[in-house]
């Protein structure tokens, strides 16, 4: 008994020493920003604010450049707009909302470094003397207009007190389009994001982190409902502890919906829920449905077709592609009626791409830039996306030296930075 007592003390001591890593979004309430006198920014003002900014104060923490771009989220007849700052150092980004107060522009939000747990509040202004007058006016910016953002940032929930200064120097690069595709609907649980991977809630955040498209993993429940879930089994990496274990296909949708919650408390979403939010709530233009089961795929095709039609009906130009990651899925895909006319992403050989008439070829990044093969695909009217690029140096190399039409990454903000700062 004494032996068991000491073992229990050791286990208890060990568990109490395990450090829990978190990066919670700070409380961004700011009295000035939330006052009745602070009003929304006009569309033209938001457009003029986008561009590449050089950092003076703050460069030591975030790097010398920031790519600044707006995104939005749609909720029925209401839209919310977010200004993101994509920085180079430690995959940092800011996410702010913007308002005007008289002749001053206010930006309020938070910063995050993806390779650490670093986060904190940020409060910024553009005064009349620093270019707000030009931004709030009706005329286009001229070379003589100087746009300077000044303010402070802090750590965690501390009051922002560290000075930061950014100056607009040039427009965002847009010469050669690039689809910035966020992995797992926006990122991984390991990166301590404010929503769980493969959740609708995370997909809604993806544009603020730089994504123009998203990838997600689909599996079938015991009763044939397609749900979005990365791993083959229920496990502590993806869900809150509940005693359930084993493959997704062992459970009905009702069981998963009632008994299972993702790490941040969300339900495992169905494919229909993801498609609905993709079309009606986000500004995303590409959805990659990565098939993670071996079985009939007609249900995927039916929903793909349905939501492509729904997007077109509201004037949204989007691409929804079914993923073909292995030979089993390839065989099942080729059993679909008219499979050669179904938008798809094929990760296999070029011969398989041609056989399925896939709209996108998607090789893994370890095979290199493969410019000759990519050019051949593009000459056939196809696109080429590479996966999964996460190391900033590799992202920079593929953007600078490669010809890919899209990059899949767990760090869409890093892809956004290296893409938009090009000259």
């Amino acid at each position: 008994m004494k032996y068991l007592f000491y073992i229990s003390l050791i286990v208890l001591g060990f568990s109490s020493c395990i450090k829990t890593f978190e990066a919670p979004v700070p409380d961004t309430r700011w009295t000035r920003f939330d006052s009745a006198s602070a009003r929304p920014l006009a569309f033209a003002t938001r457009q003029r604010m986008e561009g590449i900014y050089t950092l003076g104060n703050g460069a030591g923490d975030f790097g010398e450049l920031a790519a600044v771009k707006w995104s939005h989220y749609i909720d029925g007849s209401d839209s919310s707009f977010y200004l993101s700052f994509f920085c180079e150092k430690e995959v940092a980004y800011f996410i702010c909302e913007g308002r005007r107060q008289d002749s001053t522009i206010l930006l309020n939000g938070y910063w995050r470094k993806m390779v650490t747990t670093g986060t904190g509040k940020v409060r910024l202004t553009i005064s009349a003397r620093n270019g707000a007058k030009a931004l709030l006016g009706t005329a286009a910016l001229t070379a003589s207009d100087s746009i300077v953002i000044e303010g402070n940032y802090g750590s965690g929930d501390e009051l922002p007190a560290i000075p930061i200064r950014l100056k607009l120097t040039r427009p965002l690069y847009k010469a050669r389009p690039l689809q910035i595709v966020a992995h797992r609907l926006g990122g991984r649980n390991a990166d301590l994001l404010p929503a769980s991977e493969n959740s609708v809630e995370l997909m809604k955040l993806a544009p603020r982190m730089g994504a123009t498209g998203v990838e997600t993993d689909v599996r079938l429940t015991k009763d044939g409902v397609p749900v979005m879930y990365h791993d083959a089994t229920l496990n502590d990496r993806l869900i809150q502890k509940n005693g359930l274990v084993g493959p997704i296909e062992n459970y009905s949708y009702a069981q998963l919906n009632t008994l299972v919650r993702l790490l941040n408390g969300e339900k495992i979403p169905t494919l229909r829920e993801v498609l609905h939010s993709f079309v009606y709530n986000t500004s995303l233009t590409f959805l990659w449905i990565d098939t993670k089961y071996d079985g009939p795929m007609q249900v995927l095709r039916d929903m793909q077709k349905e939501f492509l039609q729904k997007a077109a009906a509201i004037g949204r130009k989007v691409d929804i592609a079914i993923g073909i990651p292995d030979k089993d899925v390839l065989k099942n895909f080729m059993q679909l009626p008219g499979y050669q006319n179904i938008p798809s992403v094929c990760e296999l050989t070029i011969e398989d791409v041609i056989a399925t008439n896939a709209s996108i070829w998607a090789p893994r990044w370890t095979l290199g830039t493969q410019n000759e093969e990519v050019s051949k695909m593009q000459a056939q009217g196809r696109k080429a996306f590479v996966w999964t690029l996460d190391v900033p140096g590799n992202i920079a190399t593929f953007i600078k030296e490669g010809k890919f039409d899209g990059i899949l990454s767990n760090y869409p903000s890093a892809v956004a930075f290296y893409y938009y700062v090009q000259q």
Side-chain angles (χ1 to χ4, degrees), residues 102-105 125-136 146-147:
D102 298 324
S103 58
T104 299
I105 294 173
T125 62
I126 306 175
S127 65
R129 65 180 176 83
N130 279 341
K133 183 177 179 180
L135 292 171
L136 294 170
S146 178
I147 309 300

Side-chain angles (χ1 to χ4, degrees), residues 245-393:
V245 295
I248 285 283
E249 59 265 26
N250 286 358
Y251 299 91
S252 69
Y253 171 68
Q255 289 174 312
L256 296 177
N257 190 52
T258 303
L259 303 173
V260 178
R261 293 296 178 267
L262 299 175
L263 281 190
N264 288 282
E266 311 94 340
K267 294 182 179 182
I268 296 177
T270 64
L271 174 58
R272 176 169 293 278
E273 289 169 336
V274 167
L275 285 165
H276 184 275
S277 187
F278 169 77
V279 169
Y280 293 107
N281 299 136
T282 79
S283 58
L284 298 164
T285 60
F286 175 70
L287 176 59
W288 175 348
I289 305 169
D290 198 6
T291 313
K292 294 293 188 180
Y293 68 91
D294 181 8
M297 300 175 66
Q298 188 62 52
V299 63
L300 304 188
R301 171 52 181 160
D302 290 344
M303 287 195 199
Q304 176 195 43
K305 185 176 180 180
E306 176 187 347
F307 280 92
L308 282 171
Q309 292 172 344
K310 288 182 174 181
I314 61 171
R316 289 263 282 134
K317 183 174 174 54
V318 301
D319 293 314
I320 301 172
I322 296 175
I324 305 172
D326 58 46
K327 291 292 186 180
D328 289 330
V329 174
L330 174 68
K331 176 192 65 178
N332 296 327
F333 182 82
M334 295 179 75
Q335 292 176 0
L336 290 171
Y339 66 87
Q340 290 190 320
N341 296 316
I342 298 174
S344 63
V345 181
C346 184
E347 299 176 25
L348 307 176
T349 67
I350 288 178
E351 289 73 24
D352 293 324
V353 171
I354 294 172
T356 56
N357 195 30
S359 43
I360 300 169
W361 175 50
R364 66 172 64 234
W365 74 271
T366 51
L367 298 174
T369 55
Q370 300 188 88
N371 285 343
E372 184 177 344
E373 291 83 355
V374 169
S375 293
K376 288 180 180 178
M377 292 290 95
Q378 293 167 341
Q380 295 175 9
R382 310 181 204 278
K383 294 181 179 180
F385 291 6
V386 63
W387 59 275
T388 301
L389 273 172
D390 289 338
V391 177

Side-chain angles (χ1 to χ4, degrees), residues 151-195:
N152 297 287
Y153 64 97
S155 178
D157 275 320
E158 295 176 1
L159 190 68
I162 306 170
I164 187 169
R165 186 178 190 273
L166 307 95
K167 183 176 181 179
L168 178 63
T169 58
R170 54 188 165 89
L172 299 171
Y173 172 86
K174 295 181 181 179
R176 184 172 67 88
L178 180 74
Q179 196 71 258
I180 302 171
V181 186
H183 196 207
R184 308 183 193 191
L185 289 181
R188 302 169 297 194
N189 286 339
D191 290 314
L192 308 177
L193 295 168

